[in-house]
Amino acid sequence: MIPPISHKVNCTPPPETRRRRCWRVAASLFSLPVGDPELAASQFKMLSAQVPFLYIILLSNAVALSFTHFGTAPNTLTLLVPGLLIIISVWRLVSWARWRHQQATPAVLLRRLRGIVLAAGLQGAGFTIWALALFPYGDAYAQCQVEFFMALTVICCNFCLMQLRAAALLLTVIVTVPFLIFFLHTGRPALIAIAGNMVLVNGGMVLILLRNHNTFTALIISERQLTNRQQETQHLSDENLRLANLDILTSLPNRRSFFAALDQALTRAARADTRFAVALLDLDRFKSVNDVHGHAAGDRLLTQIGLRLKRLASSQIFIARLGGDEFGIILSDCQMDADIFDFGATVKLALQSPCVVGDRLASISCSIGVAIYPQAGITAEELFERADYALYFGKQHNKGGIIVYSDEHETTIRKAARVEQAFRVADYESEMWIAFQPIVDVTLIRVIAFEALARWESPELKSVAPDVFIPVAEHTQLIGELTIVLLRKALAAAKIWPPKITLCFNLSAQNLGSADTMAAVRRLVQSSGVAPSRIEFEVTETALLEDFDQAAKAIAKLHELGARIALDDFGTGFSSLGYVHRLHLDKIKIDKSFVTDVVHNRTAPAIIKTIVALCQNLQLDCVIEGVETEAQLRAVMALGCHHIQGYYLSRPVNEAALTRLIEDIAARSFTTAPAETEPQDA
Ligand code: C2E
Ligand code: CA
Ligand code: CA
């Protein structure tokens, strides 16, 4: 019967026969490290130290054997054959001495290892045949010498070849097998005993050799693994260090590397007695990009800016991102101030072309503050602080420019420190008072509101302007406390005013950002006895942008209360009417900078006119502040402004002067000549 055909393919390999396994084991014993160049190199290194000894011992033993047989054995055996064998050995010895100090490729090393195995076989066979051929010519002593020559030489050679198993084993087999057979055939018990002894010793040697070879190989492999692991660890640690010093978003060096580079620059400059500059670069109005277009757009913008700045970096210019929209620069080569301004111009040029912001293109400018070593400071902290101050100063006075820290800044800093010190210990209740400046409807000829303006009479510093102490109050986080005291005082004054007069009160960015302060403000309004509809809070665009969501919440709650909100200093910031719409603001105060130019300049009137028209369209109230002269008043009136604030109408005055002021204003006429008397400035 035909057996059914199995469709299954038998994948298991046929069992290995015994003979085949023996061959495989034997072949592996005589194999060379073909695929392992490192092992081959280690073996070669060990052998190149030992093989010369092998030849020296072999040569001296051979010379001794020839010498003792000279005269008794034929010259062919005492001179010619050993001479040839010795010449070959000397040639090999010299070759080894040469190779010891040579670099070789893995292929060459492997060829040399193969050469040793071959030499062990051929030279082993040559010396064995020669020694056994001498045997019949000697007396009993000389015959013993032959036997000892062979036994000891093979042991010694095995020792020297221990790291190369194939060579040592081949030599053992080639010498020991004929040796044993030969001496067994002599029939002399002493010689047979010596031969047996030698075979036993050689057997032991082979076992030790095999173990030793395995240990040696394992050692090399573990050494290699250790090296690999060390390399891997080093690589990981290098990568870690690189990432730890890199800003992920822009791939520029980060804050940490900036300070490390600053320390290095300081050491270099101190040693070489040279100058260098530390510059801090801050993008103008970056925050509004984040607020308006979202953080993803902000990140994209930073990436683009980072890329452009990166192109400016060189061995002399180190540029890092310090965080947010702030970048730190170290200019190693700046012997003259002109170098700094040149660099500033280069940066401006690099940032000039528009970046993608959200779904449109926008140009972004930057301000740069610079501190020069050693004039501005001699430590990293000093230099950084001063560059930061120059930047801060630049942001306030020269946005989009480059400011180098100078002695003048030093004086300002000292003064600011004194103000801060005094402000921290000030008693707001007794030292702070409110000045009021009227906002006048020049068509109705009456005061429609008073803006409350904070005044500080410090026992130590005397009169300090709000432009000075309000930023200090913000910086020291004391503005919340101060605002509450000022508002209480302002509300107490407003309580007795005629009901048609509004109280305008300034809120700072930090007020809007603090839920606690805003809750206290609302409580104060509710308990003041002044109708919330008579209260108008003035906020600036920058204050809104500080934390737009929080500001929007605060404004909504003030609206809920019934209070009104005015956008102060309009025209100095982004001048976006978008906020007005989104936040349902009630009024716009056109900044005084437009009024200064209204008489002589063509642009200012055009801008004012547009804003007034927009306010009319959006049904917003509009106040223009900073009117100082009759000409300015006429000009702004002609542009459609009717609600006016400014020194021409009145400077801010103290509470006691208000009743008189209301009457004075009502008695003035604004279409003809101005009133002659003006209230005293507070
Ligand atoms: P602001 O809110 O824009 O106030 C108007 C400033 O312009 C006042 O300066 C006022 O005296 C001044 N001013 C009014 N008319 C004229 C004019 O015709 N010409 C010129 N050159 N200036 C005029 P002041 O009182 O020194 O206040 C400066 C700033 O300090 C205020 O600017 C406001 O931002 C801040 N400030 C004042 N009081 C407070 C307050 O109680 N809280 C907060 N957060 N800020 C306040
Ligand atoms: Ca104001
Ligand atoms: Ca203002």
Side-chain angles (χ1 to χ4, degrees):
M1 210 172 79
I2 302 165
I5 298 167
S6 167
H7 290 287
K8 275 192 188 161
V9 180
N10 194 354
C11 292
T12 45
E16 197 179 27
T17 61
R18 224 164 143 190
R19 195 192 296 166
R20 218 177 247 223
R21 196 164 56 237
C22 285
W23 273 116
R24 191 172 49 77
V25 173
S28 78
L29 286 176
F30 288 93
S31 66
L32 288 174
V34 178
D36 195 340
E38 280 163 49
L39 180 59
S42 302
Q43 285 179 328
F44 186 81
K45 196 172 161 204
M46 295 295 282
L47 290 169
S48 57
Q50 293 161 192
V51 169
F53 286 116
L54 179 156
Y55 279 115
I56 292 168
I57 293 165
L58 182 65
L59 287 172
S60 33
N61 286 357
V63 169
L65 199 62
S66 299
F67 180 75
T68 50
H69 286 80
F70 187 69
T72 53
N75 282 351
T76 326
L77 286 181
T78 53
L79 292 175
L80 186 68
V81 176
L84 271 172
L85 288 171
I86 286 168
I87 288 170
I88 295 171
S89 299
V90 170
W91 168 64
R92 294 284 298 165
L93 176 64
V94 172
S95 304
W96 273 97
R98 231 172 351 109
W99 293 340
R100 243 183 116 163
H101 305 290
Q102 276 177 5
Q103 284 287 342
T105 61
V108 171
L109 286 181
L110 209 63
R111 209 169 54 231
R112 286 181 190 162
L113 289 181
R114 236 177 241 128
I116 305 176
V117 179
L118 200 66
L122 293 176
Q123 286 183 282
F127 275 103
T128 303
I129 294 166
W130 170 63
L132 294 179
L134 278 179
F135 185 82
Y137 298 100
D139 57 11
Y141 292 115
Q143 287 177 342
C144 271
Q145 190 201 0
V146 169
E147 198 172 15
F148 271 107
F149 163 75
M150 291 181 71
L152 291 178
T153 310
V154 78
I155 289 171
C156 157
C157 292
N158 266 346
F159 253 115
C160 293
L161 294 172
M162 197 169 274
Q163 278 76 25
L164 192 61
R165 188 177 54 192
L169 283 179
L170 188 65
L171 184 68
T172 309
V173 173
I174 282 183
V175 178
T176 316
V177 174
F179 175 90
L180 188 62
I181 296 169
F182 184 89
F183 284 101
L184 282 177
H185 276 87
T186 58
R188 286 197 224 146
L191 294 181
I192 293 170
I194 292 171
N197 218 324
M198 186 258 200
V199 171
L200 269 179
V201 173
N202 257 328
M205 280 279 307
V206 166
L207 285 178
I208 293 170
L209 181 142
L210 290 177
R211 277 181 62 108
N212 199 292
H213 179 272
N214 288 346
T215 317
F216 177 75
T217 314
L219 192 76
I220 298 296
I221 291 172
S222 89
E223 229 173 56
R224 182 171 50 212
Q225 282 170 344
L226 199 71
T227 316
N228 286 350
R229 222 168 304 149
Q230 268 171 351
Q231 277 172 352
E232 208 174 302
T233 314
Q234 187 60 43
H235 173 74
L236 284 175
S237 122
D238 289 350
E239 184 62 11
N240 209 9
L241 195 70
R242 196 180 71 82
L243 288 177
N245 286 300
L246 212 68
D247 172 58
I248 307 290
L249 190 65
T250 59
S251 310
L252 279 169
N254 62 10
R255 197 179 180 86
R256 179 208 295 248
S257 9
F258 175 78
F259 282 103
L262 183 53
D263 281 339
Q264 283 172 9
L266 271 170
T267 318
R268 263 199 316 269
R271 210 178 292 143
D273 198 18
T274 51
R275 354 188 296 158
F276 73 93
V278 177
L280 298 183
L281 182 155
D282 192 281
L283 302 181
D284 296 329
R285 304 203 181 103
F286 172 75
K287 202 178 171 313
S288 57
V289 172
N290 260 348
D291 289 342
V292 177
H293 300 283
H295 284 265
D299 281 357
R300 232 172 306 138
L301 176 69
L302 283 174
T303 317
Q304 294 169 63
I305 300 286
L307 204 69
R308 291 184 194 187
L309 291 177
K310 207 173 176 179
R311 289 195 201 116
L312 303 182
S314 68
S315 60
Q316 299 296 319
I317 302 172
F318 179 88
I319 305 185
R321 178 173 170 232
L322 303 179
D325 59 339
E326 197 174 57
F327 297 84
I329 300 161
I330 298 168
L331 296 167
S332 305
D333 186 21
C334 80
Q335 294 318 311
M336 288 179 298
D337 284 0
D339 296 333
I340 295 164
F341 291 105
D342 283 352
F343 176 74
T346 315
V347 171
K348 287 226 145 343
L349 204 68
L351 302 192
Q352 201 176 34
S353 54
C355 294
V356 182
V357 177
D359 50 3
R360 59 182 112 139
L361 289 174
S363 287
I364 191 121
S365 64
C366 68
S367 304
I368 303 176
V370 184
I372 298 172
Y373 171 91
Q375 288 91 332
I378 50 165
T379 66
E381 290 77 33
E382 274 173 354
L383 288 168
F384 188 82
E385 227 170 63
R386 279 151 200 194
D388 195 35
Y389 183 78
L391 174 66
Y392 168 78
F393 192 86
K395 284 260 172 196
Q396 291 194 324
H397 301 97
N398 181 22
K399 208 172 217 155
I402 179 161
I403 295 273
V404 180
Y405 185 86
S406 66
D407 291 349
E408 192 191 313
H409 297 129
E410 186 78 49
T411 320
T412 320
I413 288 183
R414 290 235 171 87
K415 217 162 117 192
R418 279 183 62 212
V419 172
E420 187 175 323
Q421 238 167 7
F423 187 80
R424 281 185 188 277
V425 294
D427 173 25
Y428 304 153
E429 284 296 344
S430 61
E431 294 176 32
M432 298 287 169
W433 63 278
I434 308 279
F436 294 95
Q437 189 180 28
I439 296 167
V440 177
D441 185 323
V442 285
T443 348
L444 299 175
I445 317 183
R446 71 172 185 84
V447 172
I448 53 166
F450 281 116
E451 178 173 3
L453 294 161
R455 296 291 179 262
W456 177 26
E457 197 63 34
S458 155
E460 187 196 332
L461 306 169
K462 306 297 168 225
S463 207
V464 184
D467 283 339
V468 176
F469 71 82
I470 295 287
V472 172
E474 285 176 339
H475 159 73
T476 52
Q477 319 259 318
L478 292 166
I479 186 76
E481 235 175 281
L482 176 68
T483 302
I484 299 306
V485 174
L486 294 173
L487 181 60
R488 195 183 309 118
K489 289 185 183 226
L491 285 167
K495 206 172 163 185
I496 52 165
W497 296 343
K500 278 189 174 172
I501 297 183
T502 302
L503 165 69
C504 301
F505 188 84
N506 292 287
L507 287 177
S508 79
Q510 269 188 41
N511 292 152
L512 290 176
S514 157
D516 287 349
T517 307
M518 291 317 293
V521 164
R522 291 196 303 273
R523 276 198 303 273
L524 213 55
V525 169
Q526 281 167 323
S527 61
S528 66
V530 179
S533 58
R534 278 183 57 207
I535 304 169
E536 199 167 84
F537 289 99
E538 296 189 3
V539 296
T540 60
E541 216 169 1
T542 21
L544 293 179
L545 290 177
E546 203 90 331
D547 184 346
F548 189 81
D549 294 339
Q550 190 65 31
K553 269 187 216 155
I555 286 173
K557 285 193 176 157
L558 291 174
H559 268 146
E560 264 171 41
L561 211 63
R564 287 156 52 88
I565 312 293
L567 188 59
D568 203 357
D569 301 344
F570 190 80
T572 54
F574 249 95
S575 310
S576 162
L577 281 169
Y579 310 118
V580 180
H581 204 62
R582 273 163 80 185
L583 299 173
H584 307 290
L585 302 184
D586 306 280
K587 185 192 257 185
I588 277 176
K589 290 186 82 173
I590 304 175
D591 190 68
K592 49 184 171 288
S593 54
F594 293 99
V595 182
T596 322
D597 299 333
V598 79
V599 183
H600 306 294
N601 179 299
R602 277 203 197 155
T603 334
I607 295 173
I608 295 175
K609 205 170 174 179
T610 316
I611 300 174
V612 171
L614 274 170
C615 287
Q616 272 166 3
N617 280 350
L618 296 169
Q619 293 181 323
L620 290 170
D621 285 345
C622 174
V623 171
I624 186 145
E625 54 182 359
V627 175
E628 292 181 350
T629 65
E630 189 184 347
Q632 287 174 346
L633 179 66
R634 282 171 189 270
V636 296
M637 281 176 76
L639 294 168
C641 300
H642 303 298
H643 293 177
I644 317 282
Q645 181 179 1
Y647 291 169
Y648 179 68
L649 299 170
S650 167
R651 286 184 177 250
V653 297
N654 62 30
E655 196 189 337
L658 294 185
T659 317
R660 182 69 211 284
L661 181 63
I662 295 170
E663 289 164 12
D664 282 352
I665 297 278
R668 282 167 79 170
S669 156
F670 298 111
T671 44
T672 55
E676 284 190 356
T677 52
E678 276 182 16
Q680 276 288 296
D681 180 23

